[in-house]
Structure formats: C-alpha cells, structure tokens
Amino acid sequence: MENQTTVPYFLLLEFSKNHHLQLLHFFFFFVLYLATVTTNLLVISAVAFDHRLHSPMYFFLMNLGLQDLGIASVIVPKSMINSLLDTRYISYFGCIAQVFLFLFFEASELCLLTVMAYDRYVAICNPLYYEMVMNSKYCTEIIIIVWITSFLYGMFHTTGTFSIIFCSNVINQFFCEIPHLIKLSCSGLNLLEVGILVVSIIAGLGCFTFIVVSYIVIFKTVLTIPSEKGRQKALSTCIPHLTVVSILLLTGCFVYLRPSSNTPSYLDFGLTVLYALVPPLFNPIIYSMRNKNIKSVLSKLWRL
C-alpha cells in the first residue's frame, strides 16, 4: 500500500475461527460490559441524587464513573458486534474515532486521579482550609480543564498516529490500539508522533510523581494523628483512590513496556483486557466497598 489513503478499513483481531468460541467471546464481553455499565451508573446515580454526597470527593468520583463508562463503551460494543456477526471489519474513520475517544477518556482519567490525590492531600494535611480551597467553583474549573486538556491531547495524538504511512491494515488487537497501529507503519514514526510520545511520557511521569509525593506527605501527616481511630478514618479515604491508581498504572505499564507480538496472541489479548477493561469495572466497586455513605445510598436506591 503506497500511503494511508489506500487503507479504507482495518481488520481487527479474530478471536477464533470457531463460531462457538466467537459466541463465547461475545458473551464474555457482554457480561463484562454490562457489569461495568451497571456499577458505574449506580455510583453516578448515588452521587447525583443524594445531597449528602455533594462534596468534592464524590463530585470527582462521579466524573471518574463517566470516564470509565466512556472507556468501556468505546472499545467493547464494536468487538461484541464483530464477534456476533463473525467479522473483523472496522472503517478507517471508525478506527480514528476509536483511537481518539480511547485516548481522551484514558488521559482524562489519569488527570482526574492526579486531581483526586491533591484533594486527599488538602483534606488530610490542611483540613482547616479544605472547604475554602476545594470549593464548588474551583472543582468545576478543575474538571473543565481536565476534560479540555484530555480532548486536545487525544486530538493531537490521534493526528500524529494517523499521519504515518500504513503498509498493512491487519491490527492484532480487538480494538484500534496505538502500539499495534504503529507496527503497521512503512516509514516509522514521524516527527509529530515522536514529539507527542515524548510529551505523553513526560506528562505521565509528572502525574505519577505528583501522586507519589502527595501520598508520602499524606502518610507522614497520618502518622502524626494521635488517635488510632483518626488515623484509620484518614486512611479509609485514601486506600480506595490509591488502589484505583495502582491498578491503572501497574496494568498500563505492564502492557506498554512489554514488547507486543507481531502475531495474534491470547496473552496480548488478555493483558489488554486487564488494563483497558478491568479498571473501569473495579473502580466503582472499590470505592463502594470502602465507603459507608455510598453503600447507604446504594442500598436505598436498591430498595426503590
């Protein structure tokens, strides 16, 4: 293929040539997607409809639920439809949309988790100034900045990815994932994409460093709290966030630092599911299990 304009569509990973295994793949993704949508919608509904949860931490949690819904909805339904119809097809512009939206939601989630680390830092290390610093106007402005920044990042990264010249249209993954798209390049990375990748690494390391430093200060402050009950209460608000961050970063780093195979691999498929679909499913569960207020509201919604 001479250039990228000759690629009218891409072929995604074929889970199996056996139709029964294709249906098994569809059922697996259907259950995973249904569970992800249900758990995140429950948390979003709980925060939206109960005034007791109208605080910065829960406001950020509601936005995290929207991002998790977005991540799952961008990649899972298309894979389910392909399995059900026994096809591998995704259009060129469909692939562009998938890459952009996936980057947009993933970047916004990392930014939001960084903001939530700052929220916990202010709440525990400077509790007297918490309401003044984390007021509703400031929190709204932060969320707007997170969404706009992530939109621009997704747009530039997508532009850089699809400005390369493709020699093949066969993607060895169940969605349009950037590392596998780059492997299809005839000419290697262009200057734009190299620059975006460097900025991505710096920004990712910056977010990671900020989160780590925030929690070092938080844990030092917690150790100075005289009562054991006070220490446990402070830690109970940090553990869910720290767990969510750890799952996202560990699974993401494990996948992207590991060299991807040039041939279809069930291991690559499983690892991608681990980093792309497991966090959106478990994030609301982790927060709900550790939070009495959310559990109380959810039990009321369940009785309705």
Side-chain angles (χ1 to χ4, degrees), residues 224-263:
T224 63
I225 298 176
S227 67
E228 183 178 350
K229 186 176 180 181
R231 291 194 296 270
Q232 290 178 349
K233 184 178 179 180
L235 287 175
S236 67
T237 64
C238 295
I239 289 176
H241 176 257
L242 198 55
T243 305
V244 168
V245 170
S246 300
I247 291 174
L248 178 67
L249 294 179
L250 289 176
T251 54
C253 289
F254 187 71
V255 170
Y256 280 96
L257 294 179
R258 176 183 177 273
S260 57
S261 173
N262 290 322
T263 58

Side-chain angles (χ1 to χ4, degrees), residues 46 53 287-301:
L53 302 183
Y287 272 100
S288 299
M289 288 175 60
R290 300 285 306 184
N291 193 295
K292 293 180 180 179
N293 292 332
I294 292 181
K295 287 194 289 187
S296 174
V297 175
L298 288 177
S299 64
K300 289 182 178 179
L301 289 175

Side-chain angles (χ1 to χ4, degrees), residues 34-50 53 61-62 65-66 69 284-285 288 293-304:
L34 183 62
T36 301
V37 171
T38 302
T39 52
N40 280 285
L41 283 180
L42 281 173
V43 172
I44 292 170
S45 301
V47 175
F49 294 114
D50 195 286
L53 302 183
L61 183 58
M62 183 173 66
L66 291 172
L69 278 177
I285 296 174
S288 299
N293 292 332
I294 292 181
K295 287 194 289 187
S296 174
V297 175
L298 288 177
S299 64
K300 289 182 178 179
L301 289 175
W302 180 262
R303 285 196 293 269
L304 292 176

Side-chain angles (χ1 to χ4, degrees), residues 261-273:
S261 173
N262 290 322
T263 58
S265 166
Y266 285 122
L267 179 60
D268 284 340
F269 172 81
L271 291 175
T272 303
V273 169

